[in-house]
């Protein structure tokens, strides 16, 4: 990031009062958006109880049921009324966070509020028309326009992931697996902090790419209809965009050979809506969803309170998956903005007040944002190194086969030249000898014949030699041809390899985005638009700041003028005015105290309501627990329960009970592995049963005893089993002559008559049924006469 950029950011945040100079800390920015009344609310005759003052960033809520009650006034960093536009919200709230993510900061934008208050509308908006798009799609456009605008030496790698927390389970919304397979675990390590193991992270190159991911994830999200919202989000969702930036040897680091890599992560969080249990009357799955939503939101509230309190050394991040995932955003190293959404309708008075209180507390959280510079294991660094390696591999010089072909043709030309010379010599000799006399000709002829004879012989010898040489040359040529062939093949293979490498290089280079590489008409237009908008935002901020400053100055000047009145009359008047002012202030303070009192009352009422809600869910959980204990007590033998309890271990990571394996393998001193059977305390070596002496097959204990008694009962003869407990089946009848059996029968009758008492809350007798004392003695069942079951008869062989 250039120095100017950094300074602008700091100035921007200081200007808004988010940065505390000494501590380098930054407040969580909190803005409130109040949506318009729904057509349904209007037709139901609902009216607005909310007044938004965008100039003073205040919001006032009146209780229309109780007009005597003082309206409640809250002040935030910014407030937006029903006429606010999506663009306005993005420019004021999200733009600077997205901007800082591009510079290597982490940023979080969080939408909070009651169900149907407009969280999803603020975060995602509508697809069409484009002006209705929310923070998430606008952030996509902004990120890619920033990349487009940056210098060509800068490289970027953009990745996206999308998850939801549904019923305290983390689900990967970009996974191709079926819903049951995409539940993920949370992990923590020093460098990465809290992260989700195996979460799908997709590299994206353009706005349409990332929009496709958002659409895909939205299809997988858990939504359902509630009384207030047809498409209510039943889970908290987090869309994360990680931008890795390689800034190249820049003005800040001129001597570095390697470029500096910065990693910024933007979390776009759409929380599930809070709802009162007793207001919705939800049952079944909806009840479970709602309990989990309220649970995690109250865990978030507890984290906010603990952070704001300042005295708390323990912040309960581990209470829910949501708070663990937002650990860095609340009190960590992230720039955070919370958008609290409310509905204006009078019947939502309680919920709106509760949301505003929640947001008011969050205003005081302080974070310590820092740039993530050169963190370990960045994917961008890996890609850059791989690209350098591939380029080097592709640049190795390979001699081209054409050169060899050229050599061959030159040799052929030389041969042709020699042939031409010999032919010319011969032609000259023939024309010279034609001019001589006959005698001389005879002499010459004889001489020539002799010479010819000699030459013939010499030629014959030469021919033979040439034949041999020709043979050798042919062999050599063949060998050369084969060599050439294999060389061509090697070259073809090399060419293929190079093509593969080039493709790999192209794919890698395409994943990296460059400032000027990605120039295309549309994007350039977008970049221009972005620059223009940025200018507008700055101007708007400057004007806002100016306006605030002028109001303060005028107020101050007014006071000064009043104080400077010289004449007595003026003095008296001024003093009277001052007195009036003091009186007004006194009245105001009095009113404030009474407001605080009513607020305290409200808080107590709210607390009582929340307690009632909690009690309701606790009771339901307690009932379920009692039912399970009841089933365990009545249907599982106590020794089995204690065995399971001994073997059960609480697994911190998966937050579930797991059963220790019954078979334990322990390496012994002699290097062998012994196998033991364990019930959690005792260990018995697991061995094959010993064969009875003189027998060639294993026998059970009963068979051995029977042998010892001399009993030759044939039913043990074929026993080849480890352990055989010949337990009798459970008794199903009672023996009324036996005192214990009689008591058991009476207890069973009592249990059959018991019902769950909502008030106590314990099991009690059904009120309209007779108690066991009044019961007539049940008729003695016939089978009860038998004291014991007769042993089942074994089939004789
Ligand atoms: N500022 C707004 N302008 C116009 N319509 C809005 C605005 N805010 C919300 N709405 C409309 O209100 C309805 C509910 O909004 P939305 O689904 O965003 O609520 P939510 O808070 O996300 O609810 P839940 O928590 O149940 O998911 C939608 O039909 C949406 O279009």
């Amino acid at each position: 990031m250039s120095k100017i950029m950094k300074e602008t950011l700091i100035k921007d945040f200081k200007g808004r009062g988010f940065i505390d100079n000494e501590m380098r800390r930054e407040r969580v920015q909190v803005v409130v958006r109040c949506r318009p009344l729904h057509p349904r609310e209007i037709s139901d005759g609902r009216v607005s109880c909310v007044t938004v003052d965008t100039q003073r960033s205040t919001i006032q809520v009146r209780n229309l049921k109780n007009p005597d009650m003082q309206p409640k006034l809250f002040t935030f960093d910014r407030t937006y009324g029903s006429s606010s536009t999506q663009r306005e919200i993005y420019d004021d709230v999200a733009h600077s966070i997205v901007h800082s993510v591009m510079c290597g900061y982490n940023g979080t934008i969080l939408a909070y509020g009651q169900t149907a208050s407009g969280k999803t509308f603020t975060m995602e908006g509508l697809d069409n028309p484009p002006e209705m798009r929310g923070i998430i799609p606008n952030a996509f456009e902004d990120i890619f326009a920033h990349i487009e605008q940056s210098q060509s030496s800068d490289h970027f790698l953009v990745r996206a992931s999308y998850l939801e927390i549904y019923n305290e389970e983390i689900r990967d919304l970009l996974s191709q697996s079926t819903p049951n397979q995409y539940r993920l675990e949370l992990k923590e390590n020093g460098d990465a902090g809290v992260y989700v193991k195996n979460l799908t992270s997709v590299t994206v190159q353009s706005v349409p790419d990332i929009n496709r991911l958002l659409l895909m994830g939205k299809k997988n999200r858990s939504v359902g209809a509630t009384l207030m919202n047809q498409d209510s989000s039943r889970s908290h969702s987090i869309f994360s965009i990680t931008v890795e930036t390689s800034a190249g040897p820049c003005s800040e680091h001129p001597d570095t050979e390697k470029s500096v890599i910065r990693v910024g992560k933007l979390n776009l969080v759409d929380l599930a809506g809070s709802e009162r249990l007793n207001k919705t009357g939800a049952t079944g799955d909806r009840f479970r969803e709602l309990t989990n939503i309220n649970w995690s939101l109250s865990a978030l509230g507890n984290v906010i309170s603990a952070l704001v309190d300042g005295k708390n050394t323990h912040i309960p991040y581990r209470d829910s998956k949501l708070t663990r995932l937002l650990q860095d955003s609340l009190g960590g190293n992230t720039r955070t903005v919370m958008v609290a959404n409310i509905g204006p309708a009078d019947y939502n008075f309680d919920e709106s007040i509760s949301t505003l209180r929640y947001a008011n507390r969050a205003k005081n959280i302080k974070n310590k944002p820092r740039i993530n510079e050169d963190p370990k294991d960045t994917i961008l660094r890996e890609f850059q190194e791989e690209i350098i390696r591939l380029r080097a591999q592709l640049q190795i010089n390979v001699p081209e086969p054409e050169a060899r072909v050229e050599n061959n043709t030159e040799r052929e030309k030389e041969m042709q030249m020699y042939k031409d010379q010999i032919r010319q010599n011969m032609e000259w000799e023939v024309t010279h000898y034609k001019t001589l006399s006959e005698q001389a000709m005879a002499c010459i002829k004889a001489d020539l014949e002799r010479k010819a004879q000699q030459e013939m012989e010499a030629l014959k010898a030469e021919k033979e030699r040439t034949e041999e040489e020709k043979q050798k040359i042919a062999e050599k040529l063949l060998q050369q041809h084969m060599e050439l062939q294999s060389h061509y093949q090697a070259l073809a293979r090399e060419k293929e390899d190079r093509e593969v490498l080039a493709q790999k290089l192209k794919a890698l280079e395409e994943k990296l985005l460059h400032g000027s590489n990605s120039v295309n008409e549309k994007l350039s237009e977008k970049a221009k638009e972005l620059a223009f908008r940025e200018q507008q935002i700055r101007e708007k901020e400057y004007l806002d700041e100016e306006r605030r400053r002028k109001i303060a100055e005028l107020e101050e000047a007014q006071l000064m003028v009043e104080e400077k009145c010289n004449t007595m009359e003026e003095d008296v008047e001024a003093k009277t005015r001052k007195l009036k002012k003091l009186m007004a202030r006194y009245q105001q303070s009095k009113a404030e105290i009474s407001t605080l009192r009513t607020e305290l009352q409200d808080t107590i009422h709210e607390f009582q309501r929340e307690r009632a809600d909690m009690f309701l869910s606790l009771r339901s959980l307690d009932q379920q627990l009692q039912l399970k204990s009841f089933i365990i007590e009545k249907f599982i033998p106590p020794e089995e329960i204690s065995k399971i309890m001994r073997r059960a271990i609480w697994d911190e990571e998966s937050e579930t009970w797991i059963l220790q394996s019954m078979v334990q393998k322990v390496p012994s001193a002699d290097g062998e592995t012994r196998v033991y059977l364990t019930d959690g305390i005792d260990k018995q070596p697991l061995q094959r049963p010993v064969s009875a002496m003189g027998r060639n097959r294993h026998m059970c204990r009963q068979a051995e005893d029977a042998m010892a008694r001399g009993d030759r009962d044939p039913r043990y003869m074929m026993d080849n089993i480890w352990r055989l407990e010949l337990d009798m089946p459970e008794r199903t009848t009672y023996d009324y002559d036996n005192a214990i059996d009689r008591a058991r029968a009476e207890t069973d009758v009592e249990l059959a008559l018991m019902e769950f008492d909502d008030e106590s809350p314990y099991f009690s007798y059904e009120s309209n049924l007779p108690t066991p004392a009044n019961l007539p003695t049940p008729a003695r069942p016939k089978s009860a006469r038998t004291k014991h079951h007769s042993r089942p008869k074994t089939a004789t062989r």
Side-chain angles (χ1 to χ4, degrees):
M1 178 176 55
S2 73
K3 235 178 203 160
I4 302 172
M5 215 167 172
K6 208 184 217 167
E7 272 164 17
T8 322
L9 265 178
I10 293 171
K11 227 161 112 190
D12 172 22
F13 277 79
K14 257 194 217 163
R16 298 194 201 182
F18 303 143
I19 294 186
D20 173 344
N21 254 344
E22 289 139 53
M23 310 283 289
R24 306 296 297 163
R25 279 176 174 257
E26 187 181 297
R27 266 200 311 103
V28 166
Q29 192 192 353
V30 181
V31 303
V32 177
R33 185 182 198 184
C34 178
R35 67 159 166 76
L37 281 167
H38 284 320
R40 209 189 62 204
E41 288 171 335
I42 296 170
S43 65
D44 286 353
R46 297 291 178 189
V47 283
S48 170
C49 65
V50 177
T51 317
V52 181
D53 184 344
T54 50
Q55 300 290 321
R56 290 177 197 277
S57 306
T58 58
I59 202 150
Q60 205 178 43
V61 192
R62 278 164 296 130
N63 188 349
L64 300 185
K65 274 191 221 154
N66 186 359
D68 297 338
M69 203 172 136
Q70 278 280 331
K72 299 198 186 300
L73 188 77
F74 297 87
T75 309
F76 293 96
D77 293 305
R78 281 175 195 275
T79 50
Y80 300 90
S82 54
S83 57
S84 62
T85 62
Q86 297 283 64
R87 180 86 263 158
E88 194 183 344
I89 299 279
Y90 181 79
D91 285 350
D92 292 353
V93 175
H95 173 81
S96 76
I97 295 273
V98 173
H99 191 102
S100 52
V101 166
M102 300 305 292
C103 302
Y105 285 98
N106 290 343
T108 296
I109 301 169
L110 183 89
Y112 173 84
Q114 187 203 354
T115 182
S117 57
K119 296 179 295 298
T120 310
F121 183 82
T122 301
M123 292 308 288
E124 290 172 16
L126 312 176
D127 291 337
N128 275 309
E131 308 86 76
M132 294 305 264
R133 287 184 197 151
I135 289 176
I136 299 181
N138 277 316
F140 295 165
E141 294 268 355
D142 219 1
I143 286 171
F144 284 96
H146 266 287
I147 292 174
E148 159 70 8
Q149 255 191 341
S150 65
Q151 289 170 11
S152 58
S153 59
D154 295 354
H155 291 106
F156 298 87
L157 185 86
V158 186
R159 285 179 292 133
S161 59
Y162 198 9
L163 63 85
E164 71 170 353
I165 306 170
Y166 177 71
N167 283 345
E168 276 305 277
E169 268 172 13
I170 299 175
R171 296 173 167 197
D172 187 349
L173 294 176
L174 300 183
S175 166
Q176 308 286 343
S177 327
T178 50
N180 283 337
Q181 289 169 329
Y182 55 44
R183 286 168 196 173
L184 302 173
E185 274 176 43
L186 273 181
K187 294 271 166 199
E188 194 165 0
N189 80 19
D191 291 326
V194 180
Y195 68 97
V196 182
K197 195 179 157 194
N198 295 335
L199 180 67
T200 309
S201 174
V202 185
T203 306
V204 284
Q205 275 104 39
S206 61
V207 177
D209 268 9
I210 198 165
N211 266 328
R212 261 195 299 278
L213 294 185
L214 177 67
L215 210 70
M216 177 183 161
K218 262 163 71 174
K219 278 188 198 146
N220 290 335
R221 227 188 132 178
S222 309
V223 287
T226 63
L227 286 181
M228 297 184 71
N229 192 357
Q230 235 357 75
D231 300 311
S232 177
S233 319
R234 308 317 293 153
S235 63
H236 311 298
S237 77
I238 306 181
F239 192 100
S240 301
I241 309 167
T242 309
V243 184
E244 293 186 12
T245 314
S246 151
C250 59
S251 51
E252 270 180 57
H253 306 265
D255 344 307
T256 45
E257 263 181 39
K258 263 190 178 180
S259 50
V260 182
I261 291 191
R262 294 192 187 87
V263 183
K265 189 173 178 192
L266 177 65
N267 296 312
L268 301 157
V269 189
D270 181 6
L271 296 176
S274 54
E275 251 175 299
R276 291 207 187 286
L277 266 173
N278 51 5
K279 205 167 172 181
T280 55
T283 51
D285 277 355
R286 287 277 171 275
F287 175 83
R288 206 167 138 232
E289 277 167 6
L290 205 52
T291 319
N292 276 306
I293 291 170
N294 287 353
W295 166 260
S296 54
L297 289 177
S298 76
L300 184 64
N302 293 342
V303 165
I304 293 173
S305 300
L307 283 167
V308 173
D309 187 11
K311 288 178 212 145
N312 267 319
T313 46
H314 169 71
I315 311 293
Y317 289 118
R318 295 187 84 91
D319 278 3
S320 77
K321 299 247 160 60
L322 176 70
T323 44
R324 279 195 81 192
L325 276 172
L326 293 179
Q327 191 162 333
D328 280 339
S329 309
L330 302 168
N333 59 9
T334 305
R335 285 210 154 124
T336 304
V337 178
M338 179 195 262
V339 185
N341 292 84
I342 57 168
D346 48 353
Y347 71 108
N348 285 331
F349 174 83
D350 284 338
E351 285 79 2
S352 299
I353 291 288
S354 164
T355 302
L356 293 172
R357 285 220 179 94
Y358 203 97
N360 210 32
R361 271 186 294 161
K363 246 173 29 180
N364 300 315
I365 300 175
K366 282 186 179 162
N367 286 354
K368 245 187 181 173
R370 61 173 154 76
I371 294 180
N372 304 310
E373 208 161 75
D374 270 335
K376 263 200 263 165
D377 309 328
T378 55
I379 296 180
L380 182 64
R381 175 76 73 218
E382 258 174 50
F383 279 11
Q384 280 180 332
E385 282 168 3
E386 182 69 2
I387 286 172
I388 291 171
R389 199 181 60 76
L390 288 175
R391 278 198 188 138
Q393 232 171 315
L394 282 170
Q395 270 165 11
I396 295 169
N397 237 350
V398 182
E400 288 302 316
E402 283 73 25
R404 284 166 186 258
V405 176
E406 247 173 45
N407 283 351
N408 283 350
T409 38
E410 262 178 29
R411 211 168 286 162
E412 272 170 23
K413 275 185 196 164
E414 227 170 81
M415 289 281 282
Q416 191 62 39
M417 220 169 67
Y418 281 129
K419 276 183 194 169
D420 290 347
Q421 220 172 348
I422 291 169
R423 205 182 56 242
Q424 278 171 9
N425 284 348
M426 280 177 72
E427 278 171 4
W428 178 83
E429 277 182 16
V430 169
T431 44
H432 174 70
Y433 291 128
K434 266 184 188 167
T435 54
L436 293 177
S437 67
E438 259 181 42
Q439 202 183 356
M441 279 289 282
C443 263
I444 288 169
K445 196 182 169 191
D447 195 29
L448 276 177
E449 272 174 1
R450 190 177 40 81
K451 269 188 188 169
Q453 191 63 33
Q454 279 173 356
E455 267 179 22
M456 272 282 268
E457 278 163 13
L459 271 174
K460 255 187 191 169
E462 184 70 29
K463 194 185 165 193
E464 275 166 16
R465 258 204 326 277
T466 321
E467 276 303 312
E468 271 174 27
E469 256 174 39
K470 207 173 144 189
Q471 187 69 24
K472 274 184 197 162
I473 287 170
E475 279 170 13
K476 219 173 171 179
L477 270 175
L478 190 68
Q479 201 184 343
Q480 272 182 359
H481 177 75
M482 280 167 66
E483 270 174 21
L484 208 63
Q485 205 66 22
S486 66
H487 184 72
Y488 276 139
Q489 279 171 1
L491 271 177
R493 269 200 306 275
E494 205 165 304
K495 203 174 164 195
E496 270 172 28
D497 286 350
R498 285 163 71 84
E499 267 166 23
V500 172
L501 284 184
Q503 271 170 11
K504 211 169 153 191
L505 180 67
K506 198 173 156 217
L508 276 180
E509 281 178 338
E510 268 172 10
K511 278 189 181 169
L512 296 193
L513 304 172
H514 306 252
S516 60
N517 233 10
S518 45
V519 175
N520 70 43
E521 257 321 289
K522 222 172 161 191
L523 224 52
S524 294
E525 282 296 313
K526 289 247 163 72
K528 275 185 216 155
E529 200 184 304
L530 177 85
F532 177 67
R533 255 203 358 258
E534 244 168 52
Q535 181 65 24
Q536 276 186 329
I537 292 168
R538 297 254 167 273
E539 275 169 17
K540 191 180 167 217
E541 275 166 5
Y542 176 76
L543 287 177
D544 278 356
E545 201 49 45
E546 274 291 288
R547 187 176 35 75
R548 281 198 199 108
R549 199 175 49 78
K550 266 191 187 146
I551 290 175
E553 268 176 18
L554 280 174
E555 278 174 358
E556 220 170 276
Q558 199 185 345
L559 272 177
M560 295 264 283
V561 168
E562 280 172 10
E563 272 175 14
K564 272 183 190 164
C565 289
N566 291 332
T567 57
M568 278 291 279
E569 203 180 318
E570 276 174 337
D571 207 20
V572 170
E573 251 178 46
K575 278 191 176 137
T576 321
R577 263 204 306 274
K578 221 170 183 177
L579 194 69
K580 270 186 190 163
K581 234 180 212 172
L582 283 174
M583 201 57 198
R585 262 190 217 162
Y586 168 72
Q587 294 292 352
Q588 199 184 340
S589 306
K590 221 170 132 188
E592 269 170 20
I593 290 170
S594 100
T595 315
L596 280 175
R597 273 210 192 106
T598 47
E599 220 160 86
L600 190 69
Q601 287 288 333
D602 287 351
T603 317
I604 293 169
H605 282 147
E606 199 181 321
F607 171 71
Q608 278 168 347
R609 262 199 307 271
E610 267 177 23
R611 209 175 61 166
D613 261 7
M614 288 274 193
F615 188 66
L616 207 72
S617 51
L618 261 179
R619 257 185 45 170
S620 150
L621 290 173
D622 194 40
Q623 279 180 12
Q624 284 177 28
L625 190 70
Q626 281 209 38
L627 179 66
K628 282 186 182 150
S629 310
F630 179 75
I631 294 167
I632 290 169
E633 203 179 297
K634 294 295 159 199
F635 296 98
I636 303 179
E639 61 275 15
E640 293 303 323
I641 297 172
S642 54
K643 261 192 224 165
I644 291 168
M645 283 173 86
R646 281 201 297 264
R647 285 177 53 210
I649 304 169
W650 176 251
D651 183 36
E652 281 292 342
E653 211 157 81
S654 60
E655 295 188 347
T656 47
W657 287 100
I658 51 171
L659 277 185
Q660 213 181 10
S661 170
M662 279 193 78
V663 177
Q664 270 188 16
K665 289 182 180 173
V666 182
S668 63
D670 55 12
E672 294 213 358
T673 306
R674 302 246 183 284
V675 183
Y676 294 93
L677 199 65
T678 174
D679 63 352
I681 295 180
D682 299 326
K683 273 198 289 189
Q684 298 167 15
L686 202 64
Q687 289 168 343
R688 282 177 74 81
V690 186
S691 300
M693 283 284 283
R695 305 258 157 199
N696 54 4
R697 63 170 73 237
H698 306 300
M699 290 179 81
C700 71
R701 229 182 310 138
Q702 277 81 359
E704 276 181 336
D705 291 348
M707 285 264 299
R709 285 196 309 270
D711 182 357
R712 310 280 308 165
D713 191 336
R715 69 188 160 141
Y716 298 125
M717 298 298 281
M718 290 307 288
D719 280 344
N720 190 14
I721 50 174
W722 242 336
R723 203 176 283 177
L724 184 67
E725 305 291 353
L726 291 180
D727 284 341
M728 296 305 297
E730 269 288 306
R731 284 283 304 271
T732 52
T733 54
Y734 309 110
D735 180 355
Y736 272 76
D737 297 336
N738 182 325
I740 297 173
D741 267 14
R742 206 168 38 249
R744 257 183 61 200
E746 276 167 12
T747 318
D748 285 355
V749 173
E750 270 183 58
L751 283 168
L753 295 174
M754 275 167 96
E755 65 168 4
F756 193 83
D757 179 6
D758 274 347
E759 276 172 22
S760 63
Y762 296 110
F763 279 92
S764 65
Y765 290 112
E766 265 183 71
S767 44
N768 53 351
L769 286 170
T771 60
N774 307 337
L775 266 182
T777 315
R780 187 182 293 183
K782 270 194 177 170
S783 53
R785 287 178 158 280
T786 15
K787 206 161 194 171
H788 294 290
H789 287 277
S790 55
R791 271 191 189 181
K793 275 192 180 167
T794 322
T796 45
R797 265 189 301 157

